[in-house]
Amino acid sequence: QVQLVESGGGLVQPGGSLRLSCAASGSIFSFNAMGWYRQAPGKQRELVATITTGGSINYADSVKGRFTISRDNAKNTVYLQMNSLKPEDTAVYYCHYSHYPWAYWGQGTQVTVSS
């Protein structure tokens, strides 16, 4: 089992920034992928960004150039720096951990972009 604890969500004005963190604990494999997905009201959950322990990164087109994902492998922690936030970024953001065939989700943290 892997436990994921997220932090850093909140309310921010358009154009502002937030930084999300997610710490993993439990049965962590040395090679894994961690990342962030989000789900807005009435929409399906979608990929935001992922990063492997080897440093391979994947971003959704909608966040490229604005969001930066990073990780500290020694702390089993992944970060999402979100800049130039837009109202359409409003969603519950979920941390994700995977090592095939296992996958785990965090409880989610709300990000609201509004003036």
Side-chain angles (χ1 to χ4, degrees):
Q1 291 287 324
V2 173
Q3 295 77 43
L4 302 172
V5 178
E6 301 140 334
S7 60
L11 172 65
V12 64
Q13 292 187 341
S17 299
L18 281 175
R19 188 191 194 210
L20 305 182
S21 300
C22 174
S25 62
S27 302
I28 307 296
F29 284 92
S30 58
F31 182 82
N32 60 70
M34 293 184 69
W36 297 91
Y37 289 70
R38 66 187 181 187
Q39 188 167 17
K43 295 187 177 182
Q44 290 187 332
R45 192 172 296 188
E46 64 177 6
L47 169 75
V48 176
T50 61
I51 183 170
T52 69
T53 44
S56 295
I57 292 174
N58 183 39
Y59 289 107
D61 287 343
S62 60
V63 307
K64 284 181 180 176
R66 301 189 297 123
F67 291 10
T68 301
I69 191 169
S70 62
R71 66 184 294 164
D72 184 334
N73 290 333
K75 296 181 179 180
N76 294 316
T77 300
V78 64
Y79 307 95
L80 185 68
Q81 178 65 43
M82 304 185 291
N83 298 329
S84 302
L85 282 160
K86 305 175 181 179
E88 50 264 43
D89 294 317
T90 295
V92 177
Y93 283 69
Y94 295 92
C95 181
H96 184 257
Y97 168 100
S98 66
H99 176 89
Y100 185 82
W102 298 279
Y104 299 89
W105 293 95
Q107 78 282 1
T109 185
Q110 178 70 45
V111 172
T112 302
V113 185
S114 175
S115 55

